[in-house]
Each structure stands twice: as structure tokens, then as C-alpha cells.
Amino acid sequence: MIPLKFGAGLGLAAAFAISAGPAFADEGMWTYDNFPTAKVNAAYGLKLDQPWLDRVQAASVRLTTGCSASLVSKSGLVLTNHHCVVECVQDLSSEKTDFVKEGFAAATREEEKKCPGMQAEILTSITDLTKDIQAATAGKTGQDFIRARDAAMAAAEQATCAGDPQLRCQVVSLYRGGQFKLYKYRKYADVRLVFAPEFATAFFGGDPDNFNFPRFNLDVGFLRLYEGGKPVSTPQHLTWVSRAPKEGEATFVSGNPGSTNRLMTMSQLETLRDLTIPVGQLQRSEMRGRLTRFSEESAEHKRVATDPLFGIENSFKVFYGQQSALNDKTFMDAKRAQEAELKAKIAADPKLAAEIGDPWAEIANAQTAYANNYLRYRQIEGGATYSNLYHYAEMLVRAAQEQAKPSAERLPEYAEARLPLLEKQLLDVKPIDAELEEVSLGFWLSKTREYLTTDDAAVKAVLGKESPEGLAKRTVAGSKLADPAARKALWDGGLAAIQASDDPMIQLFLRNDPAARAVRKTWEAEVAGPTDRAAERVARAKFAAYG
């Protein structure tokens, strides 16, 4: 049997793998509202129907940690991978009890422990908003295009789900702007850990992301959904089948897959190959080295660094594979031929050619601005990626600033419909290790100074006359943001509380924010706006040529 994944873009989607025998297999990738039921049934002798799709959709779970999961009992039990729960397991551990190392198993419902910051979501409906979003952006370019699109998306989310604490709405872009869909989810903010095996059992073989040794691992985690303090009733759930798969048997996988980036143009792939991935891999390599050294200093350091180190190693392997593909001449020649074929099909139809124009050239032109601004955008607006305290400061400051504006004029991540999840992630109790925070914050500060140089105005504003390590140590030691009560006071106090705060982490973000907003504005005007606007037409060209 040859299982092949079928997936879809952002949001919860149906992914199906259909094996047609030991020598060959079909593949495809669909959202739940676009599954070719008739064709699949005819080709494989199946009897799939809409009720079957509805049942599978109702049993599929999206975790806000970015993972897919499944309901597997009538009382809210959720099955997922170990790496999808390890952050929760780490957060629930302590110096005295290391659940990551020793494993966790709740003997009773009362022993099930709430996962900080985690939310589970089940897709209930999909609405096509493509015409509405494209109408809102018609005739706009650059940053105006980005802002009009984001405002239209935020308005749709707010209109559909506003005021209902049980729902979350999210407009997602599919086919790089070729379609826009409003996904409505039933959300569960109380997600509790039920079971996670020992890390050595789930991570057998020592491979960074465990893909090399899956058959020898117990790569599993169980969670349970709660509401009102009680387990959720979930009559629509998957059931366990103990027999082994049969040769040639149809296999279906439902989940929340990441983007394939398959509609990227050649100029974008070359930028990924030559700039984006190499810079990211260089930083991941150095951060991995710092965390490895940190882990070797004590047993407690090793415990608190396990999850972040695991995440970095996982990302490193992902991008190592992408870099290898982009360095492969055969692969790149095939992508170049595909792009040429699509351009030729469009050129052969004068009316279509006039409508589509040359989005490939527009995207290629934007690569210069991408290269000129990437490092600054990554370091200044991207911020201290690995620091929880800095991330808290960012959420608090920008939420206070943005909530003073109408929802349609805000940065999209602070639109009204998106605030409940942000508030949960901000205020849930989560352990913060000060020494690990110093390593993370110091790394960002040192790389920012190294990449942008000491003469850069933004670097001077952030560092002043302090060293990266010294500033990191002083800021972490003086900040109260590790305390959920302190975060709540600032959240509830709004902009006035932020302006009055002398917390050094808040002050650090405030010093960086003007430069961060400036580079974000440039990025939207010169990179994201032109690219996204052109990418929509690449998608339309693909639809016209291939369906």
C-alpha cells in the first residue's frame, strides 16, 4: 500500500490519500467544499456521500498550536501527535516533576490538566467570499491593497462570529489569493492533557522531527475538550479499527495541512533559495547551538530547553529539505518548464492575456524590494521570536494601540474577531524560565546588531549603550510580565496603563515599535502588496488553463 497525502491550504480541510495498488497511486488535495465525490466513487468503486463527508469534518479538530487532531470518543477525547502536545506537557512540568521525560497519564478525569494557551476548533461551515474580497481590493495597489483586503476579511469575520463566545471565524486565502473562504469554527478554549508517553518513547531514534523512525515510536498524545468544567459531548467521532490496512484499500486523512507554496513563481523560489532560507537556517543553527550549550549546563536547563530545542531542530530539517529541493537542477528546471507552459497557454488567448497581464514580471520586480528590506523586516518587525516575555510585551502594546482604532483600520492580527484567542494566549498561566529568556532575548539583540550594524538608528534606539547580553539580563530580571496578573492589569488598563508602565520589557518593545511599524509599512507597500496582488492573477491564470 502506498499512502499519499491529499491536503488543502489554510484552515481545516479534507485531505485524502487513495492507494490504487502496490505499484501506483492517485493523489489530490481538496477542501471539504470541493471534494470530487462522484469522480472518486466512480474511479474506486466507493459510495462516499455528503453525510459521510460531514461526519468526518465534524470529527476533525484543529489545534491553535498548528496541529491536526481527531475526536475519538463520545466524551471529547482527542487524538493527535506527541509533538502537538509536548509544549503543553512542558508547561505543566516543573523542576520536581518532569512530565516530558517521565510521561503523563491521567488516571481519572479530575487529573486531566488544562493546556495553557491551547484552543481546539471544529469546522462547521465554509462560505466563499472571493468576489467580496476581490471587489474590496479592486483598483488598489501596494499598502492600500493590503489594508483594503485585511479590512474586508476582518469585517467578514466580525459580522459572522462577533459576540458569540463559542465561535471563531477566519477568512483564509487559498491558491495564493485565487480564492477567499470564511471558515466558521466551534471553538473550545478549555483543552486538557490526558496522556503523553515518555519523550524517549515518542522520540525514539533521536531524529529531530522523528520522521525517519515513525514505525518504532509511540508518537501520540491524547487531549480532552471541556466546556463549563465538564467534558464535551461529541457523538460525531472516529472509531478505532484494529485490523491492518489492506493492499489497495482507499485511505482518507482529514486535517489542517500547511501551505504547499506550489503557486510560487520562479523568481520567488530563487529568492527563497538564495536569501530567505539561508538566513533562517543560519540563525536556527546558531540558536540550536546556544540551546544545546544551555542544556548541558544543568539538568534543569536541559528540562526547560527540551521543547524549544525540539522545535528548532524540527524547523531546521524542514528547511534543509526545502533548500535541497531548490538546489536540485532537475526540480528547478521542471518548475521553470511548468511556468513557461502556463504563460504560453495564457498568451494563446488574447482576451485572457489582456485580463491577466504579466503578474510573473510584477512579482519578479518585487524581489529587489524583498532583498533590500528582508533582513530589516525579519529582525525589527519579526522581533525576538524565541522570547515569550517579548512576545507578551508586543501583544500588550500593540493591542492597546490598535484597539484605540476602528477594527477595519487596525493591524489585522488585532481585529475585533481575533482578540479573544489573543487574550487567552496572553493571560493563560504559563511557566517562564528567566535564564532561558535571557538566552532567547540576547540572541535576537545580538543578531539584530550584527545584521543591521551598530550605526543603525533602530539598533541604537533599542540597545543604547548596552551590550545585547547586558540588556537582555537587565530586562528579563526587571520585567513582571511572567506574572499573569501583571499581564492582565496591563491588558485591562489599555493604552493608559501601557503608557504609564515602567516595565523594562514594555519599554524595550516601545523603543523598537516605531522602526518596526515603519519597515512593516515599507514591506506592505513594496513587497507584500505588489506580490499578493499579482499572485491573485497567477491563480486566475492557473484556473483558466487547468481548471
Side-chain angles (χ1 to χ4, degrees):
M1 183 167 181
I2 306 173
L4 296 176
K5 288 186 178 180
F6 291 64
L10 300 176
L12 193 66
F16 301 96
I18 302 173
S19 173
F24 60 94
D26 289 338
E27 58 180 303
M29 188 175 280
W30 303 282
T31 51
Y32 269 108
D33 59 340
N34 192 37
F35 178 63
T37 308
K39 289 184 178 180
V40 170
N41 286 344
Y44 298 98
L46 302 176
K47 296 181 179 180
L48 306 182
D49 55 16
Q50 191 59 46
W52 182 87
L53 284 170
D54 292 342
R55 287 196 301 274
V56 176
Q57 177 180 312
S60 301
V61 180
R62 179 176 78 164
L63 302 176
T64 51
T65 53
C67 282
S68 300
S70 302
L71 288 167
V72 291
S73 87
K74 63 182 180 180
S75 55
L77 191 65
V78 172
L79 170 66
T80 188
N81 296 102
H82 181 268
H83 69 265
C84 297
V85 303
V86 69
E87 181 179 359
C88 170
V89 180
Q90 180 90 65
D91 290 342
L92 296 174
S93 299
S94 67
E95 188 173 358
K96 295 181 179 179
T97 306
D98 186 353
F99 291 126
V100 176
K101 180 180 179 181
E102 299 168 3
F104 177 87
T108 65
R109 296 275 173 85
E110 290 70 27
E111 293 180 8
E112 296 174 359
K113 297 180 180 290
K114 188 174 181 179
C115 290
M118 184 184 289
Q119 181 168 290
E121 300 165 349
I122 298 174
L123 181 65
T124 61
S125 68
I126 303 174
T127 304
D128 192 343
L129 296 182
T130 305
K131 291 182 179 179
D132 300 305
I133 303 299
Q134 291 181 348
T137 60
K140 293 181 170 60
T141 59
Q143 190 180 37
D144 290 340
F145 172 87
I146 295 291
R147 293 298 168 88
R149 181 196 62 192
D150 292 346
M153 293 167 68
E157 293 169 356
Q158 179 69 4
T160 305
C161 284
D164 192 331
Q166 295 183 335
L167 299 179
R168 181 187 178 194
C169 284
Q170 181 182 11
V171 177
V172 300
S173 168
L174 301 172
Y175 310 101
R176 295 181 61 78
Q179 291 182 356
F180 292 90
K181 301 292 182 74
L182 174 66
Y183 282 26
K184 183 164 73 173
Y185 297 92
R186 177 65 162 86
K187 72 178 185 182
Y188 299 93
D190 187 351
V191 181
R192 304 187 191 184
L193 182 66
V194 176
F195 171 79
E198 301 90 333
F199 189 75
T201 302
F203 189 54
F204 179 83
D207 186 62
D209 59 13
N210 232 12
F211 290 165
N212 285 353
F213 303 94
R215 76 186 73 181
F216 304 111
N217 302 322
L218 188 59
D219 184 8
V220 65
F222 283 96
L223 304 163
R224 194 182 305 278
L225 309 184
Y226 278 75
E227 196 165 53
K230 298 179 180 180
V232 173
S233 174
T234 50
Q236 297 279 42
H237 61 83
L238 303 183
T239 56
W240 176 259
V241 177
S242 59
R243 67 168 178 80
K246 298 178 181 178
E247 194 71 54
E249 186 174 23
T251 303
F252 302 89
V253 181
S254 176
N256 181 54
S259 173
T260 63
N261 290 328
R262 59 200 168 111
L263 292 188
M264 275 192 166
T265 65
M266 284 305 301
S267 62
Q268 289 177 296
L269 294 177
E270 288 164 352
T271 297
L272 275 181
R273 179 193 65 195
D274 300 337
L275 174 61
T276 314
I277 294 178
V279 170
Q281 289 294 75
L282 189 62
Q283 289 202 11
R284 291 182 197 97
S285 296
E286 185 169 339
M287 189 61 185
R288 178 172 63 174
R290 293 193 183 203
L291 286 177
T292 300
R293 184 189 64 185
F294 179 83
S295 300
E296 293 169 347
E297 293 173 352
S298 70
E300 179 61 7
H301 281 189
K302 182 176 181 179
R303 183 187 73 79
V304 299
T306 295
D307 181 46
L309 181 57
F310 183 72
I312 288 173
E313 289 184 327
N314 184 29
S315 296
F316 185 90
K317 183 169 185 180
V318 167
F319 287 104
Y320 179 82
Q322 290 186 16
Q323 185 75 60
S324 297
L326 294 171
N327 287 337
D328 186 300
K329 184 178 183 302
T330 301
F331 172 82
M332 293 296 275
D333 285 347
K335 294 296 294 183
R336 193 171 287 108
Q338 290 172 5
E339 185 167 291
E341 179 186 86
L342 177 58
K343 288 180 180 180
K345 285 180 177 290
I346 301 306
D349 183 337
K351 182 179 178 182
L352 185 60
E355 176 190 338
I356 298 298
D358 192 356
W360 298 273
E362 294 172 27
I363 292 174
N365 290 337
Q367 300 313 298
T368 299
Y370 189 113
N372 290 339
N373 291 283
Y374 175 68
L375 285 179
R376 189 171 195 81
Y377 182 76
R378 178 187 176 92
Q379 293 304 123
I380 299 296
E381 171 62 3
T385 307
Y386 306 113
S387 169
N388 288 304
L389 291 179
Y390 185 87
H391 187 48
Y392 285 149
E394 177 182 11
M395 288 193 289
L396 286 164
V397 171
R398 286 201 169 165
Q401 294 170 339
E402 296 300 307
Q403 285 186 87
K405 308 172 185 177
S407 182
E409 297 177 14
R410 299 176 192 173
L411 296 176
E413 58 267 35
Y414 299 96
E416 200 65 32
R418 302 177 189 181
L419 290 178
L421 178 58
L422 185 147
E423 182 178 5
K424 171 182 172 54
Q425 293 171 332
L426 178 69
L427 300 184
D428 273 6
V429 177
K430 181 183 178 75
I432 301 293
D433 184 85
E435 292 179 292
L436 184 58
E437 282 291 315
E438 286 182 26
V439 172
S440 301
L441 189 62
F443 176 74
W444 169 62
L445 292 168
S446 67
K447 291 292 102 179
T448 301
R449 184 180 68 174
E450 177 184 327
Y451 286 8
L452 304 185
T453 80
T454 56
D455 295 328
D456 187 273
V459 175
K460 290 180 178 179
V462 169
L463 280 173
K465 295 183 179 180
E466 293 186 80
S467 69
E469 294 74 21
L471 177 58
K473 187 176 184 64
R474 178 179 66 81
T475 304
V476 171
S479 180
K480 297 179 181 179
L481 297 188
D483 182 359
R487 301 197 297 270
K488 181 170 174 51
L490 288 169
W491 177 266
D492 292 342
L495 190 56
I498 293 295
Q499 292 171 338
S501 175
D502 61 357
D503 189 288
M505 196 66 72
I506 295 290
Q507 292 299 314
L508 175 62
F509 183 80
L510 284 170
R511 293 198 303 274
N512 183 59
D513 195 37
R517 286 179 178 269
V519 73
R520 179 170 178 156
K521 182 177 180 180
T522 300
W523 188 266
E524 290 179 350
E526 300 180 13
V527 181
T531 299
D532 291 357
R533 184 175 179 274
E536 287 188 4
R537 303 204 313 281
V538 172
R540 292 211 301 272
K542 197 118 181 178
F543 294 158
Y546 303 112

